[in-house]
């Protein structure tokens, strides 16, 4: 049990060391501006990449939230937006948790059909490959 407490203390010490390092960078005007630019660039790249990934199967929203978390270290508006996203996600999760299995299965099916349609049309429009026609060819061999 004391191992858990020691791990928590080590994590807190690491966080405070990072915080002290960031405070040292923020202590000069040039450091503050450089940190804002670096954090803004990395956060914006993550958010944009996540938004591009949202319609495809994968961690799109996770990357968007990661980008907002990075931006929230330097920008108050990003912190407020991240808090709004957390509240919205918690509300959606709570709403879904109160629904029966029929609604949950229906939501999963709709999401799967939407993901399949996005992949199908993405491949068809990008690579000019009709996945349904290709599957028919494979099945009729």
């Amino acid at each position: 049990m004391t191992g858990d407490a020691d791990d928590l203390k080590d994590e807190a010490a690491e966080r405070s060391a990072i915080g002290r390092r960031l405070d040292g960078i923020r202590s000069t005007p040039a450091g503050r501006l450089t940190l804002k630019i670096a954090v803004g660039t990395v956060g914006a790249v993550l958010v944009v990449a996540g938004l591009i990934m949202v319609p495809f199967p994968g961690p799109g929203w996770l990357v968007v939230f990661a980008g907002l978390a990075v931006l929230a270290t330097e920008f108050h508006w990003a912190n407020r937006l991240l808090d709004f996203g957390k509240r919205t996600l918690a509300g959606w999760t709570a709403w879904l948790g109160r629904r029966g299995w029929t609604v949950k299965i229906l939501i999963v099916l709709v999401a799967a059909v939407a993901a399949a349609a996005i992949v199908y049309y993405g491949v068809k429009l990008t690579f000019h490959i009709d996945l349904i026609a290709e599957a028919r060819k494979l099945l009729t061999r």
Side-chain angles (χ1 to χ4, degrees), residues 55-69:
F56 300 103
W61 284 112
L62 182 64
V63 176
V64 170
F65 278 109
L68 284 175

mmCIF file with all atom_site columns, all heavy atoms in Angstrom, residues 55-69:
data_model
loop_
_atom_site.group_PDB
_atom_site.id
_atom_site.type_symbol
_atom_site.label_atom_id
_atom_site.label_alt_id
_atom_site.label_comp_id
_atom_site.label_asym_id
_atom_site.label_entity_id
_atom_site.label_seq_id
_atom_site.pdbx_PDB_ins_code
_atom_site.Cartn_x
_atom_site.Cartn_y
_atom_site.Cartn_z
_atom_site.occupancy
_atom_site.B_iso_or_equiv
_atom_site.pdbx_formal_charge
_atom_site.auth_seq_id
_atom_site.auth_comp_id
_atom_site.auth_asym_id
_atom_site.auth_atom_id
_atom_site.pdbx_PDB_model_num
ATOM 1   N N   . PRO A 1 55 ? -14.090 12.008 -38.914 1.00 0.00 ? 55 PRO A N   1
ATOM 2   C CA  . PRO A 1 55 ? -15.038 11.185 -39.672 1.00 0.00 ? 55 PRO A CA  1
ATOM 3   C C   . PRO A 1 55 ? -14.541 9.768  -39.963 1.00 0.00 ? 55 PRO A C   1
ATOM 4   O O   . PRO A 1 55 ? -15.316 8.929  -40.391 1.00 0.00 ? 55 PRO A O   1
ATOM 5   C CB  . PRO A 1 55 ? -15.221 11.949 -40.991 1.00 0.00 ? 55 PRO A CB  1
ATOM 6   C CG  . PRO A 1 55 ? -14.187 12.979 -41.039 1.00 0.00 ? 55 PRO A CG  1
ATOM 7   C CD  . PRO A 1 55 ? -13.596 13.131 -39.694 1.00 0.00 ? 55 PRO A CD  1
ATOM 8   N N   . PHE A 1 56 ? -13.276 9.502  -39.718 1.00 0.00 ? 56 PHE A N   1
ATOM 9   C CA  . PHE A 1 56 ? -12.730 8.180  -40.013 1.00 0.00 ? 56 PHE A CA  1
ATOM 10  C C   . PHE A 1 56 ? -12.649 7.353  -38.734 1.00 0.00 ? 56 PHE A C   1
ATOM 11  O O   . PHE A 1 56 ? -12.553 7.901  -37.642 1.00 0.00 ? 56 PHE A O   1
ATOM 12  C CB  . PHE A 1 56 ? -11.338 8.317  -40.636 1.00 0.00 ? 56 PHE A CB  1
ATOM 13  C CG  . PHE A 1 56 ? -11.360 9.085  -41.914 1.00 0.00 ? 56 PHE A CG  1
ATOM 14  C CD1 . PHE A 1 56 ? -10.951 10.404 -41.959 1.00 0.00 ? 56 PHE A CD1 1
ATOM 15  C CD2 . PHE A 1 56 ? -11.816 8.499  -43.086 1.00 0.00 ? 56 PHE A CD2 1
ATOM 16  C CE1 . PHE A 1 56 ? -10.985 11.121 -43.140 1.00 0.00 ? 56 PHE A CE1 1
ATOM 17  C CE2 . PHE A 1 56 ? -11.852 9.200  -44.270 1.00 0.00 ? 56 PHE A CE2 1
ATOM 18  C CZ  . PHE A 1 56 ? -11.440 10.516 -44.295 1.00 0.00 ? 56 PHE A CZ  1
ATOM 19  N N   . PRO A 1 57 ? -12.661 6.042  -38.868 1.00 0.00 ? 57 PRO A N   1
ATOM 20  C CA  . PRO A 1 57 ? -12.490 5.205  -37.677 1.00 0.00 ? 57 PRO A CA  1
ATOM 21  C C   . PRO A 1 57 ? -11.121 5.480  -37.057 1.00 0.00 ? 57 PRO A C   1
ATOM 22  O O   . PRO A 1 57 ? -10.115 5.520  -37.754 1.00 0.00 ? 57 PRO A O   1
ATOM 23  C CB  . PRO A 1 57 ? -12.565 3.775  -38.228 1.00 0.00 ? 57 PRO A CB  1
ATOM 24  C CG  . PRO A 1 57 ? -13.230 3.891  -39.546 1.00 0.00 ? 57 PRO A CG  1
ATOM 25  C CD  . PRO A 1 57 ? -12.888 5.252  -40.080 1.00 0.00 ? 57 PRO A CD  1
ATOM 26  N N   . GLY A 1 58 ? -11.108 5.676  -35.786 1.00 0.00 ? 58 GLY A N   1
ATOM 27  C CA  . GLY A 1 58 ? -9.848  5.956  -35.102 1.00 0.00 ? 58 GLY A CA  1
ATOM 28  C C   . GLY A 1 58 ? -10.029 6.981  -34.002 1.00 0.00 ? 58 GLY A C   1
ATOM 29  O O   . GLY A 1 58 ? -11.142 7.341  -33.639 1.00 0.00 ? 58 GLY A O   1
ATOM 30  N N   . PRO A 1 59 ? -8.918  7.470  -33.504 1.00 0.00 ? 59 PRO A N   1
ATOM 31  C CA  . PRO A 1 59 ? -8.951  8.325  -32.304 1.00 0.00 ? 59 PRO A CA  1
ATOM 32  C C   . PRO A 1 59 ? -9.105  9.811  -32.593 1.00 0.00 ? 59 PRO A C   1
ATOM 33  O O   . PRO A 1 59 ? -8.437  10.632 -31.966 1.00 0.00 ? 59 PRO A O   1
ATOM 34  C CB  . PRO A 1 59 ? -7.589  8.038  -31.682 1.00 0.00 ? 59 PRO A CB  1
ATOM 35  C CG  . PRO A 1 59 ? -6.699  7.863  -32.871 1.00 0.00 ? 59 PRO A CG  1
ATOM 36  C CD  . PRO A 1 59 ? -7.562  7.140  -33.887 1.00 0.00 ? 59 PRO A CD  1
ATOM 37  N N   . GLY A 1 60 ? -9.962  10.198 -33.526 1.00 0.00 ? 60 GLY A N   1
ATOM 38  C CA  . GLY A 1 60 ? -10.093 11.603 -33.895 1.00 0.00 ? 60 GLY A CA  1
ATOM 39  C C   . GLY A 1 60 ? -10.403 12.516 -32.727 1.00 0.00 ? 60 GLY A C   1
ATOM 40  O O   . GLY A 1 60 ? -9.698  13.497 -32.478 1.00 0.00 ? 60 GLY A O   1
ATOM 41  N N   . TRP A 1 61 ? -11.463 12.210 -31.986 1.00 0.00 ? 61 TRP A N   1
ATOM 42  C CA  . TRP A 1 61 ? -11.849 13.083 -30.870 1.00 0.00 ? 61 TRP A CA  1
ATOM 43  C C   . TRP A 1 61 ? -10.811 13.057 -29.761 1.00 0.00 ? 61 TRP A C   1
ATOM 44  O O   . TRP A 1 61 ? -10.588 14.065 -29.083 1.00 0.00 ? 61 TRP A O   1
ATOM 45  C CB  . TRP A 1 61 ? -13.229 12.701 -30.326 1.00 0.00 ? 61 TRP A CB  1
ATOM 46  C CG  . TRP A 1 61 ? -14.323 13.169 -31.227 1.00 0.00 ? 61 TRP A CG  1
ATOM 47  C CD1 . TRP A 1 61 ? -15.171 12.410 -31.972 1.00 0.00 ? 61 TRP A CD1 1
ATOM 48  C CD2 . TRP A 1 61 ? -14.676 14.531 -31.499 1.00 0.00 ? 61 TRP A CD2 1
ATOM 49  N NE1 . TRP A 1 61 ? -16.025 13.211 -32.688 1.00 0.00 ? 61 TRP A NE1 1
ATOM 50  C CE2 . TRP A 1 61 ? -15.745 14.517 -32.415 1.00 0.00 ? 61 TRP A CE2 1
ATOM 51  C CE3 . TRP A 1 61 ? -14.193 15.767 -31.070 1.00 0.00 ? 61 TRP A CE3 1
ATOM 52  C CZ2 . TRP A 1 61 ? -16.334 15.677 -32.902 1.00 0.00 ? 61 TRP A CZ2 1
ATOM 53  C CZ3 . TRP A 1 61 ? -14.781 16.921 -31.549 1.00 0.00 ? 61 TRP A CZ3 1
ATOM 54  C CH2 . TRP A 1 61 ? -15.831 16.868 -32.452 1.00 0.00 ? 61 TRP A CH2 1
ATOM 55  N N   . LEU A 1 62 ? -10.160 11.928 -29.569 1.00 0.00 ? 62 LEU A N   1
ATOM 56  C CA  . LEU A 1 62 ? -9.109  11.843 -28.555 1.00 0.00 ? 62 LEU A CA  1
ATOM 57  C C   . LEU A 1 62 ? -7.966  12.802 -28.890 1.00 0.00 ? 62 LEU A C   1
ATOM 58  O O   . LEU A 1 62 ? -7.448  13.501 -28.014 1.00 0.00 ? 62 LEU A O   1
ATOM 59  C CB  . LEU A 1 62 ? -8.591  10.406 -28.452 1.00 0.00 ? 62 LEU A CB  1
ATOM 60  C CG  . LEU A 1 62 ? -7.527  10.143 -27.402 1.00 0.00 ? 62 LEU A CG  1
ATOM 61  C CD1 . LEU A 1 62 ? -8.098  10.379 -26.008 1.00 0.00 ? 62 LEU A CD1 1
ATOM 62  C CD2 . LEU A 1 62 ? -7.006  8.727  -27.534 1.00 0.00 ? 62 LEU A CD2 1
ATOM 63  N N   . VAL A 1 63 ? -7.604  12.872 -30.162 1.00 0.00 ? 63 VAL A N   1
ATOM 64  C CA  . VAL A 1 63 ? -6.539  13.779 -30.590 1.00 0.00 ? 63 VAL A CA  1
ATOM 65  C C   . VAL A 1 63 ? -6.997  15.235 -30.459 1.00 0.00 ? 63 VAL A C   1
ATOM 66  O O   . VAL A 1 63 ? -6.207  16.102 -30.057 1.00 0.00 ? 63 VAL A O   1
ATOM 67  C CB  . VAL A 1 63 ? -6.090  13.444 -32.031 1.00 0.00 ? 63 VAL A CB  1
ATOM 68  C CG1 . VAL A 1 63 ? -5.060  14.442 -32.539 1.00 0.00 ? 63 VAL A CG1 1
ATOM 69  C CG2 . VAL A 1 63 ? -5.521  12.027 -32.091 1.00 0.00 ? 63 VAL A CG2 1
ATOM 70  N N   . VAL A 1 64 ? -8.255  15.513 -30.762 1.00 0.00 ? 64 VAL A N   1
ATOM 71  C CA  . VAL A 1 64 ? -8.776  16.877 -30.582 1.00 0.00 ? 64 VAL A CA  1
ATOM 72  C C   . VAL A 1 64 ? -8.680  17.283 -29.113 1.00 0.00 ? 64 VAL A C   1
ATOM 73  O O   . VAL A 1 64 ? -8.197  18.380 -28.785 1.00 0.00 ? 64 VAL A O   1
ATOM 74  C CB  . VAL A 1 64 ? -10.243 16.987 -31.076 1.00 0.00 ? 64 VAL A CB  1
ATOM 75  C CG1 . VAL A 1 64 ? -10.864 18.321 -30.662 1.00 0.00 ? 64 VAL A CG1 1
ATOM 76  C CG2 . VAL A 1 64 ? -10.313 16.819 -32.589 1.00 0.00 ? 64 VAL A CG2 1
ATOM 77  N N   . PHE A 1 65 ? -9.107  16.403 -28.212 1.00 0.00 ? 65 PHE A N   1
ATOM 78  C CA  . PHE A 1 65 ? -9.038  16.719 -26.777 1.00 0.00 ? 65 PHE A CA  1
ATOM 79  C C   . PHE A 1 65 ? -7.589  16.842 -26.305 1.00 0.00 ? 65 PHE A C   1
ATOM 80  O O   . PHE A 1 65 ? -7.274  17.689 -25.464 1.00 0.00 ? 65 PHE A O   1
ATOM 81  C CB  . PHE A 1 65 ? -9.784  15.671 -25.945 1.00 0.00 ? 65 PHE A CB  1
ATOM 82  C CG  . PHE A 1 65 ? -11.271 15.913 -25.889 1.00 0.00 ? 65 PHE A CG  1
ATOM 83  C CD1 . PHE A 1 65 ? -12.155 15.087 -26.558 1.00 0.00 ? 65 PHE A CD1 1
ATOM 84  C CD2 . PHE A 1 65 ? -11.787 16.966 -25.171 1.00 0.00 ? 65 PHE A CD2 1
ATOM 85  C CE1 . PHE A 1 65 ? -13.517 15.312 -26.518 1.00 0.00 ? 65 PHE A CE1 1
ATOM 86  C CE2 . PHE A 1 65 ? -13.159 17.213 -25.108 1.00 0.00 ? 65 PHE A CE2 1
ATOM 87  C CZ  . PHE A 1 65 ? -14.018 16.381 -25.792 1.00 0.00 ? 65 PHE A CZ  1
ATOM 88  N N   . ALA A 1 66 ? -6.695  16.028 -26.859 1.00 0.00 ? 66 ALA A N   1
ATOM 89  C CA  . ALA A 1 66 ? -5.271  16.151 -26.506 1.00 0.00 ? 66 ALA A CA  1
ATOM 90  C C   . ALA A 1 66 ? -4.736  17.510 -26.949 1.00 0.00 ? 66 ALA A C   1
ATOM 91  O O   . ALA A 1 66 ? -3.988  18.171 -26.206 1.00 0.00 ? 66 ALA A O   1
ATOM 92  C CB  . ALA A 1 66 ? -4.471  15.016 -27.137 1.00 0.00 ? 66 ALA A CB  1
ATOM 93  N N   . GLY A 1 67 ? -5.115  17.931 -28.143 1.00 0.00 ? 67 GLY A N   1
ATOM 94  C CA  . GLY A 1 67 ? -4.693  19.250 -28.624 1.00 0.00 ? 67 GLY A CA  1
ATOM 95  C C   . GLY A 1 67 ? -5.233  20.372 -27.761 1.00 0.00 ? 67 GLY A C   1
ATOM 96  O O   . GLY A 1 67 ? -4.519  21.334 -27.449 1.00 0.00 ? 67 GLY A O   1
ATOM 97  N N   . LEU A 1 68 ? -6.489  20.250 -27.356 1.00 0.00 ? 68 LEU A N   1
ATOM 98  C CA  . LEU A 1 68 ? -7.063  21.266 -26.453 1.00 0.00 ? 68 LEU A CA  1
ATOM 99  C C   . LEU A 1 68 ? -6.361  21.265 -25.102 1.00 0.00 ? 68 LEU A C   1
ATOM 100 O O   . LEU A 1 68 ? -6.166  22.330 -24.497 1.00 0.00 ? 68 LEU A O   1
ATOM 101 C CB  . LEU A 1 68 ? -8.562  21.034 -26.275 1.00 0.00 ? 68 LEU A CB  1
ATOM 102 C CG  . LEU A 1 68 ? -9.436  21.464 -27.443 1.00 0.00 ? 68 LEU A CG  1
ATOM 103 C CD1 . LEU A 1 68 ? -10.882 21.063 -27.186 1.00 0.00 ? 68 LEU A CD1 1
ATOM 104 C CD2 . LEU A 1 68 ? -9.334  22.959 -27.687 1.00 0.00 ? 68 LEU A CD2 1
ATOM 105 N N   . ALA A 1 69 ? -5.979  20.081 -24.623 1.00 0.00 ? 69 ALA A N   1
ATOM 106 C CA  . ALA A 1 69 ? -5.255  20.003 -23.348 1.00 0.00 ? 69 ALA A CA  1
ATOM 107 C C   . ALA A 1 69 ? -3.899  20.703 -23.462 1.00 0.00 ? 69 ALA A C   1
ATOM 108 O O   . ALA A 1 69 ? -3.477  21.403 -22.536 1.00 0.00 ? 69 ALA A O   1
ATOM 109 C CB  . ALA A 1 69 ? -5.079  18.552 -22.933 1.00 0.00 ? 69 ALA A CB  1
#
